[in-house]
Amino acid sequence: MITHRVRSSLNLFLLTLLSSACAIPSLTFSSLKSIINTEATNDVTAPLIDHFETGPTTTVAGFSAAVSTQWVKNELEHESAPYAICDSSIGSGWDRRLRLEQVCNLDTTDNIIYNGDSEACFLQYLDFYTAKFCAENESIQVTPYTAWMKVPANTMSNSLGAAEPRYLASFCIEDLDSVEKAKLAAQISEGLENTWEDDTGCSRDDPFANYFNIKSKPEGIYMESTINFDSLDYSCSYALVGSLASHSFICGIEHAEIPKILNTNGRWIMQGALTDNNNNRVYPLYDAGIDGAGQVAQVSDTGVSVNSCYFFDPKGEVPRDRSGVCML
């Protein structure tokens, strides 16, 4: 029996053959991989997922087909969707940003995803015709985000087998009101429930809602487990995350583990991870009366990307301060 999901895929494939959107030049597999590392180009995991019903096609041909299909899907749905827009014209990252805004008639290009000597790339939430118009310009490549381009590389391998799988789907538009978020959450829930029923790896006697909750938060939509899993089938994990990422209004997916306080282990490790003759943990700093009481701790992050368009200088490399001190 052909399922609804398979029939939809076949229909979309036939429309792909007839659509002119397939001819729009986009980033190649290797080009995208050099810009952003996602599950769509994570060929390391290919042997693990080759036999799954659902998952990223981490081959050059598979990636090209997925991008072409995404172009058609975006055209048919008549909704805005995320695109990677890259400008390889001569100049600095800032020059390319201004050119993209002017040539493509964009309000802003704040969300930079790559800035190098040869090109600058931005994540833009656009309607199909704006994206197509932009791609017609010389030195500009536009690539629609497929579902697996929204998932950072190794997200799945790091989350598979988790006792409490929890994923966050981030909205492309940040200032949505509660009513709009509720509607989008309902769409996500419906898609996940259909996936739960259709995918053989997820086939269970109980409904999806008995295992997962969908929660709307300011930062996006969470899909979190309601029970502890000894092991959720890997194929099912890929199918559910793929469904979560497939919506045009979602720009990113991450494995959002529930934060846990590990002070018991942390304080012991930071004091040398020592044990006495009876294999009991010892705390030399505490024994010396040093427990941090009345002290002020400062944490500074010196992790600035010198390839950012805000720091890139075409006349030479930006000087780097390697002192380890960052003045805030």
Side-chain angles (χ1 to χ4, degrees), residues 92-95 97 109-110 112 114-116 120 122 305-313:
S92 66
W94 182 256
D95 294 332
R97 173 183 178 176
T109 50
D110 287 337
I112 184 169
Y114 177 80
N115 185 53
F122 302 83
S305 172
V306 296
N307 288 325
S308 167
C309 63
Y310 300 105
F311 300 100
F312 176 75
D313 186 350

Side-chain angles (χ1 to χ4, degrees), residues 9 27-30 32-33 38-70 146-151 156 238 242:
S9 298
L27 292 172
T28 63
F29 181 92
S30 59
L32 178 68
K33 190 171 184 177
T38 70
E39 292 288 21
T41 54
N42 188 14
D43 44 14
V44 175
T45 61
L48 173 67
I49 63 176
D50 278 345
H51 62 287
F52 290 173
E53 289 185 24
T54 306
T57 52
T58 54
T59 64
V60 174
F63 173 78
S64 178
V67 170
S68 295
T69 301
Q70 192 65 49
T146 65
W148 293 103
M149 282 174 61
K150 302 175 185 179
V151 186
M156 299 306 298
Y238 271 91

Side-chain angles (χ1 to χ4, degrees), residues 298-304 311 321-328:
Q298 175 178 324
V299 178
S300 298
D301 184 358
T302 60
V304 175
F311 300 100
D321 179 4
R322 301 184 183 279
S323 66
V325 176
C326 179
M327 301 302 293
L328 301 178

Side-chain angles (χ1 to χ4, degrees), residues 8-328:
S8 298
S9 298
L10 290 173
N11 291 336
L12 189 56
F13 173 73
L14 292 175
L15 289 170
T16 299
L17 296 178
L18 300 175
S19 175
S20 61
C22 302
I24 300 176
S26 300
L27 292 172
T28 63
F29 181 92
S30 59
S31 296
L32 178 68
K33 190 171 184 177
S34 67
I35 294 172
I36 51 174
N37 198 9
T38 70
E39 292 288 21
T41 54
N42 188 14
D43 44 14
V44 175
T45 61
L48 173 67
I49 63 176
D50 278 345
H51 62 287
F52 290 173
E53 289 185 24
T54 306
T57 52
T58 54
T59 64
V60 174
F63 173 78
S64 178
V67 170
S68 295
T69 301
Q70 192 65 49
W71 270 116
V72 177
K73 183 175 183 287
N74 291 353
E75 181 180 13
L76 294 176
E77 292 183 346
H78 302 292
E79 295 178 346
S80 294
Y83 294 84
I85 301 183
C86 297
D87 187 322
S88 58
S89 60
I90 297 175
S92 66
W94 182 256
D95 294 332
R96 293 167 183 145
R97 173 183 178 176
L98 295 179
R99 178 173 182 265
L100 281 174
E101 291 179 356
Q102 180 179 11
V103 172
C104 299
N105 194 27
L106 304 176
D107 292 333
T108 182
T109 50
D110 287 337
N111 199 345
I112 184 169
I113 55 178
Y114 177 80
N115 185 53
D117 293 338
S118 60
E119 64 183 333
C121 301
F122 302 83
L123 168 60
Q124 292 294 123
Y125 189 58
L126 306 171
D127 64 81
F128 170 80
Y129 294 102
T130 299
K132 183 180 179 182
F133 170 76
C134 190
E136 293 171 352
N137 291 275
E138 186 178 358
S139 302
I140 295 177
Q141 286 185 305
V142 180
T143 306
Y145 266 66
T146 65
W148 293 103
M149 282 174 61
K150 302 175 185 179
V151 186
N154 301 318
T155 295
M156 299 306 298
S157 59
N158 291 337
S159 64
L160 292 177
E164 299 175 325
R166 181 173 183 258
Y167 297 92
L168 169 63
S170 301
F171 293 121
C172 294
I173 300 178
E174 296 181 357
D175 55 347
L176 296 172
D177 60 38
S178 58
V179 175
E180 290 175 310
K181 286 183 178 180
K183 291 180 179 179
L184 299 182
Q187 290 184 38
I188 287 177
S189 294
E190 181 180 2
L192 290 169
E193 288 168 0
N194 291 336
T195 299
W196 183 265
E197 295 174 1
D198 289 348
D199 192 271
T200 56
C202 298
S203 58
R204 298 176 184 272
D205 296 332
D206 297 323
F208 172 81
N210 284 14
Y211 292 87
F212 287 93
N213 276 333
I214 302 301
K215 293 184 178 180
S216 178
K217 299 288 184 180
E219 60 271 27
I221 300 292
Y222 283 94
M223 179 183 78
E224 57 184 31
S225 63
T226 57
I227 64 172
N228 288 334
F229 285 95
D230 292 332
S231 178
L232 181 64
D233 189 280
Y234 288 0
S235 173
C236 183
S237 295
Y238 271 91
L240 292 175
V241 173
S243 172
L244 197 61
S246 66
H247 299 277
S248 61
F249 51 82
I250 295 299
C251 274
I253 301 290
E254 62 181 283
H255 180 227
E257 293 185 275
I258 299 176
K260 297 180 180 179
I261 297 176
L262 300 175
N263 287 343
T264 300
N265 292 330
R267 65 182 182 178
W268 176 63
I269 292 172
M270 293 184 68
Q271 295 186 51
L274 304 174
T275 57
D276 59 20
N277 294 332
N278 296 320
N279 205 33
N280 296 316
R281 293 183 178 187
V282 295
Y283 303 90
L285 295 181
Y286 288 177
D287 293 340
I290 303 174
D291 59 7
Q295 303 298 308
V296 176
Q298 175 178 324
V299 178
S300 298
D301 184 358
T302 60
V304 175
S305 172
V306 296
N307 288 325
S308 167
C309 63
Y310 300 105
F311 300 100
F312 176 75
D313 186 350
K315 299 178 182 179
E317 184 177 2
V318 177
R320 308 186 192 193
D321 179 4
R322 301 184 183 279
S323 66
V325 176
C326 179
M327 301 302 293
L328 301 178

